[in-house]
């Protein structure tokens, strides 16, 4: 079965703290794609990153970084020096036969 | 210019009514989708069209009927609305490259449907 689990329902941090959002996935496919999307309070869904299963290199984009580990089926997302504007719901997702299967989402609240 | 636009943004209606949500994308993408987000924020695919052809139809009640007049438009019509249909409906589009879905979805702003 294809499944994405985000065990953290809500996380609250104070500005400038680092925070890691966990994502664990299940798939029988040998080739697959993983994603992170952000949903700010305004409601739209914003694509953050796509990672294919053959590329286990970690990726950094500004304050955002992603750690992909096939051995533990995890694709975690770290925000360094968090800011209030990072407050949002973050979704991890797995692409399977043309369908994005989303995790339950993690609500991140960054307090000033 | 909004890449994926859906109208209306808000819909409040009575049980039993019929309603439609329209979606248009100006990205030149081949594939369009409808996703439903429930009150717990859970996102689930409903339908997917590739070049006007239905390619994904999840176990959605047949009261929901998508229609794609061309590859830039994907509308959703819902008959006999029920309380459980209350949700935010997102339209999205993506580009396939060499027959493979990139999975990079561009979402509309969502249409919040409230059934009373």
């Amino acid at each position: 079965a294809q499944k994405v689990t985000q065990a953290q329902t809500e996380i609250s941090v104070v500005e400038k703290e680092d925070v890691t959002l966990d994502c664990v996935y299940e798939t029988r496919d040998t080739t697959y794609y993983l994603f992170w999307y952000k949903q700010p309070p305004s409601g739209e869904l914003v694509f953050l990153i796509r990672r294919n299963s053959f590329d286990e290199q970690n990726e950094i984009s500004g304050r955002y970084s992603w750690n992909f580990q096939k051995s533990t089926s995890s694709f975690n997302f770290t925000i360094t020096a968090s800011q209030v504007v990072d407050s949002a719901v973050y979704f991890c997702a797995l692409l399977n036969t043309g369908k994005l299967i989303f995790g339950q989402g993690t609500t991140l609240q960054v307090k000033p | 210019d909004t890449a994926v636009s859906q109208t209306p943004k808000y819909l409040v209606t009575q049980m039993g009514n019929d309603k439609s949500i329209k979606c248009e994308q100006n990205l030149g993408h081949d594939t369009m989708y409808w996703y439903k987000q429930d009150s717990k924020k859970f996102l689930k695919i409903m339908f997917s069209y590739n070049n006007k052809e239905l390619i994904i139809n999840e176990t959605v009640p047949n009261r929901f009927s998508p229609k794609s007049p061309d590859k830039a438009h994907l509308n959703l019509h819902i008959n006999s609305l029920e309380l459980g249909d209350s949700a935010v409906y997102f339209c999205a589009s993506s580009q396939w490259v060499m027959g493979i879905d990139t999975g990079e979805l561009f979402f509309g702003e969502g249409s919040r449907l409230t059934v009373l």
Side-chain angles (χ1 to χ4, degrees):
Chain A
Q2 321 282 343
K3 193 178 170 185
V4 176
T5 303
Q6 295 177 253
Q8 304 147 309
T9 310
E10 289 183 22
I11 301 176
S12 182
V13 299
V14 176
E15 217 172 9
K16 295 185 185 160
E17 280 184 32
D18 298 348
V19 58
T20 294
L21 310 181
D22 296 333
C23 172
V24 173
Y25 62 92
E26 290 175 34
T27 180
R28 287 197 205 109
D29 296 341
T30 50
T31 302
Y32 51 90
Y33 292 86
L34 295 162
F35 301 79
W36 277 93
Y37 280 83
K38 174 182 179 179
Q39 187 174 36
S42 48
E44 74 274 22
L45 283 150
V46 179
F47 166 84
L48 294 178
I49 189 170
R50 180 181 68 160
R51 176 57 46 142
N52 85 49
S53 52
F54 294 114
D55 184 0
E56 282 195 76
Q57 274 198 333
N58 291 333
E59 178 141 349
I60 298 175
S61 175
R63 296 183 297 106
Y64 294 173
S65 61
W66 290 270
N67 182 294
F68 174 33
Q69 292 200 337
K70 278 175 88 166
S71 59
T72 54
S73 297
S74 65
F75 186 41
N76 297 339
F77 173 29
T78 297
I79 302 175
T80 304
S82 59
Q83 299 176 2
V84 172
V85 293
D86 295 327
S87 296
V89 182
Y90 290 87
F91 292 94
C92 182
L94 169 70
L95 184 65
N96 169 248
T97 56
K99 295 181 274 189
L100 265 186
I101 297 168
F102 285 89
Q104 307 92 314
T106 297
T107 299
L108 173 66
Q109 187 181 33
V110 181
K111 297 178 182 172
Chain B
D1 228 7
T2 309
V4 182
S5 57
Q6 28 181 137
T7 54
K9 213 170 167 187
Y10 299 96
L11 270 166
V12 180
T13 189
Q14 300 284 336
M15 257 173 46
N17 283 351
D18 303 340
K19 287 293 175 189
S20 292
I21 308 171
K22 294 185 175 181
C23 179
E24 177 182 1
Q25 55 98 359
N26 62 8
L27 297 165
H29 288 166
D30 297 323
T31 308
M32 295 185 72
Y33 310 79
W34 280 109
Y35 277 80
K36 179 180 179 180
Q37 186 173 44
D38 64 22
S39 57
K40 294 182 180 173
K41 298 278 186 185
F42 185 61
L43 274 158
K44 192 165 190 297
I45 191 168
M46 299 172 70
F47 301 103
S48 169
Y49 272 74
N50 182 267
N51 276 314
K52 303 193 297 174
E53 282 196 34
L54 180 67
I55 53 170
I56 292 174
N57 183 350
E58 287 294 278
T59 47
V60 178
N62 56 17
R63 299 182 294 104
F64 290 78
S65 49
K67 201 168 264 188
S68 182
D70 55 61
K71 75 172 198 176
H73 294 85
L74 179 62
N75 304 324
L76 183 65
H77 187 75
I78 316 169
N79 288 329
S80 305
L81 279 156
E82 300 177 357
L83 293 176
D85 298 332
S86 295
V88 181
Y89 292 85
F90 283 96
C91 177
S93 72
S94 70
Q95 185 60 27
W96 286 36
V97 176
M98 296 178 69
I100 297 172
D101 188 357
T102 61
E104 184 180 336
L105 268 59
F106 290 76
F107 284 87
E109 292 182 332
S111 297
R112 182 176 293 278
L113 171 65
T114 304
V115 182
L116 303 174

